[in-house]
Amino acid sequence: MIELYGFGPSRWVKPYWMLRELGLEFNEHQVSLADLRSPAMLAMNPFGKTPIMRDGDTVLFESTAILNYLGEKHAASGLLPKAGTRERALYDQWTSFCITELEQPLWRISKHTWILPETDRIPDDVKLARREFVQVTRALEAQIGDLEFIVGNRFTAADITMAWTLNWARHVHTIDETPNCLRYTKAITSRPAFPSHLRFSQ
Ligand SMILES: N[C@@H](CCC(=O)N[C@@H](CS)C(=O)NCC(=O)O)C(=O)O
């Protein structure tokens, strides 16, 4: 049985959503921040973060690596486009974009508004991160246009990463000024495999 470890409405949702799309059985373990520092958890992820997935002897951290592992292992699902195809190159492009360009201002906004102890927060970085997020989503808006899916004409794990990240943005900032991004996010997160309690009212 696959074991998935995570906490709260955080990045563990990506593998959770993927496992549900794949229709796989798994045990979900909600852990606390303190648990992440326990020797048992540090043995699985020495960096003290979630998500972590155990599948038999394979223990993985990093949400994107987990999505790719599951997609590769269940290739017939088509959730991970086949290596060497144009779709796979676009999958890699959009996934990298999400975890480096789109996610990092959101992470900074989150850290400096509620995650870090108040004395460590830098309000000016929140301002800067908000500006960077607006810039990047303005450009993304034209790329999304009226697309149903971000890669090709079918749902892939790139939609999990993109829609999860844009949905996070709805919690800590807004994407209301980018109607294509908003429409896309609402549509993708309305899939039954997405946890309904994290959905904004549509
Ligand atoms: N790049 C990692 C980020 C992992 C990460 O930062 N996880 C957060 C939750 S979303 C965490 O475990 N934070 C605990 C901490 O920083 O103490 C991934 O995508 O899995």
Side-chain angles (χ1 to χ4, degrees):
M1 179 74 88
I2 293 177
E3 312 292 331
L4 179 67
Y5 301 81
F7 70 88
S10 72
R11 292 175 183 86
W12 74 272
V13 172
K14 289 157 69 181
Y16 174 87
W17 184 358
M18 179 85 170
L19 286 161
R20 284 165 52 103
E21 292 283 352
L22 289 167
L24 298 176
E25 278 189 48
F26 63 101
N27 291 322
E28 182 196 335
H29 304 270
Q30 282 291 325
V31 296
S32 67
L33 275 178
D35 292 335
L36 285 177
R37 311 289 177 259
S38 71
M41 295 297 292
L42 287 172
M44 293 195 286
N45 182 355
F47 302 102
K49 297 199 171 195
T50 64
I52 303 169
M53 190 206 62
R54 178 191 288 282
D55 181 18
D57 290 343
T58 305
V59 178
L60 280 179
F61 53 87
E62 283 299 330
S63 52
T64 305
I66 299 172
L67 296 191
N68 291 353
Y69 167 85
L70 291 169
E72 205 86 68
K73 194 164 173 184
H74 301 277
S77 69
L79 289 179
L80 180 71
K82 206 165 170 289
T85 61
R86 178 176 178 274
E87 282 70 28
R88 178 54 172 273
L90 291 173
Y91 171 91
D92 290 339
Q93 169 192 281
W94 284 119
T95 301
S96 300
F97 166 81
C98 289
I99 61 181
T100 58
E101 304 297 326
L102 192 59
E103 179 184 300
Q104 61 89 8
L106 297 176
W107 190 218
R108 279 159 52 212
I109 295 168
S110 302
K111 279 200 290 196
H112 293 290
T113 51
W114 64 275
I115 296 179
L116 290 173
E118 228 165 316
T119 46
D120 291 346
R121 294 180 199 163
I122 305 171
D124 279 351
D125 198 45
V126 176
K127 276 194 227 152
L128 189 59
R130 288 193 192 284
R131 244 190 0 243
E132 286 175 17
F133 184 77
V134 167
Q135 248 169 20
V136 84
T137 43
R138 273 192 193 142
L140 178 62
E141 178 71 356
Q143 296 298 309
I144 289 194
D146 60 1
L147 291 181
E148 187 176 357
F149 305 112
I150 195 67
V151 175
N153 54 7
R154 61 184 296 176
F155 180 80
T156 65
D159 292 303
I160 292 183
T161 301
M162 180 68 83
W164 177 82
T165 312
L166 288 171
N167 199 60
W168 176 14
R170 298 178 77 195
H171 287 268
V172 299
H173 186 75
T174 178
I175 54 168
D176 290 357
E177 285 96 49
T178 47
N180 298 335
C181 293
L182 184 63
R183 173 205 51 78
Y184 165 86
T185 305
K186 283 182 176 176
I188 300 286
T189 59
S190 70
R191 294 176 69 85
F194 183 81
S196 54
H197 68 286
L198 297 180
R199 238 175 243 144
F200 270 71
S201 50
Q202 299 283 313

